[in-house]
Amino acid sequence: MADDDPQPTADEPGPTEWQFGSAPAVGVGPWAAEHDGPPPDDPRYDAHLLAAGDTRNVVDAYRYWTREAIVADIDSRRHPLHVAIENFAHDANIGTVVRTANAFAVAAVHIVGRRRWNRRGAMVTDRYQHLEHHDTVADLIAWAREKNLKVVAVDNTPGAQPLETAELPRECVLLFGQEGPGVSADAQEQADLTVSIAQFGSTRSINAGVAAGIAMHAWIRQHADLGQAW
């Protein structure tokens, strides 16, 4: 029944857009209070935000922009990297994965299994990040094959290549399992490559959301143009 839990809509305020009592305001105030001269007439700017201020969790370059304009700008320079996470047990890490994927301008996040997920951890970044759904791992693999994308499973399993020394394909899907069991057997069998994250302590595995961030950053270090970073 968790799959039928109500989800917040795109227009509802998210955690980083709430203002609490006397706490310092986040973002910027109305354009007239922040700048000299009339507000810009550039269509990328949102008339309401110009008049009321912009308290969203966005970089300064996107202040006062409409959501559509921000997405379009990111789309113009998204990376050929996709991220997928299995969600057969309603994994709570998906929000973290989405938030990190947004930070790295990932092409899309693919959720395999349940459609419903807890969006709170995404901190509103799902509004700027493309999301796709696949019912099964087989559906995801078929989609990746059609798009000529290599599938890279990230899991600490025998035979996995160390992420720290592996050459990640530029055009690929990084696939993560849900918290606990890790990448499913079906996913491991169909992946083109499996990589593991080096660990040195007592724990058997790394949190799925953290592992996703480590792996995405490994791809960024190998393939991204750092001159385009904020």
Side-chain angles (χ1 to χ4, degrees):
M1 312 319 318
D3 236 20
D4 297 321
D5 290 344
Q7 299 287 292
T9 67
D11 294 322
E12 292 178 355
T16 57
E17 295 170 304
W18 296 332
Q19 302 298 308
F20 297 99
S22 59
V26 176
V28 293
W31 180 274
E34 301 281 349
H35 303 273
D36 293 327
D41 57 5
D42 187 317
R44 293 175 298 182
Y45 287 82
D46 183 294
H48 172 74
L49 295 176
L50 289 171
D54 188 352
T55 60
R56 300 172 301 172
N57 182 20
V58 297
V59 297
D60 289 345
Y62 290 146
R63 286 297 177 200
Y64 303 110
W65 284 30
T66 66
R67 183 192 318 159
E68 294 76 14
I70 294 173
V71 172
D73 188 72
I74 299 173
D75 283 348
S76 71
R77 51 189 176 78
R78 285 191 192 274
H79 295 122
L81 168 65
H82 293 254
V83 173
I85 183 168
E86 297 183 90
N87 188 38
F88 298 115
H90 216 64
D91 198 305
N93 290 288
I94 293 177
T96 299
V97 173
V98 170
R99 185 178 182 184
T100 307
N102 168 267
F104 293 138
V106 165
V109 173
H110 301 257
I111 300 170
V112 182
R114 295 176 180 265
R115 284 183 178 272
R116 299 291 184 176
W117 54 280
N118 187 343
R119 295 175 183 263
R120 188 176 182 84
M123 300 294 281
V124 195
T125 56
D126 54 306
R127 301 182 184 184
Y128 309 96
Q129 177 62 54
H130 296 300
L131 305 174
E132 303 288 345
H133 175 260
H134 306 272
D135 288 324
T136 66
V137 168
D139 292 336
L140 171 69
I141 300 295
W143 176 87
R145 301 285 183 252
E146 181 181 342
K147 300 296 183 180
N148 294 316
L149 296 171
K150 297 294 184 181
V151 177
V152 180
V154 182
D155 202 358
N156 290 347
T157 55
Q161 295 186 29
L163 174 65
E164 294 74 21
T165 57
E167 293 186 15
L168 297 174
R170 177 171 174 77
E171 299 182 356
C172 71
V173 180
L174 294 178
L175 173 59
F176 303 90
Q178 57 198 0
E179 190 72 21
V183 176
S184 66
D186 286 345
Q188 290 186 34
E189 291 175 3
Q190 299 183 68
D192 297 292
L193 172 68
T194 299
V195 297
S196 62
I197 298 171
Q199 297 177 211
F200 303 89
S202 64
T203 185
R204 175 179 175 276
S205 62
I206 295 176
N207 170 272
V210 173
I214 293 171
M216 280 186 258
H217 192 256
W219 186 96
I220 290 294
R221 291 189 65 180
Q222 291 185 26
H223 299 294
D225 178 0
L226 297 183
Q228 292 190 350
W230 295 118

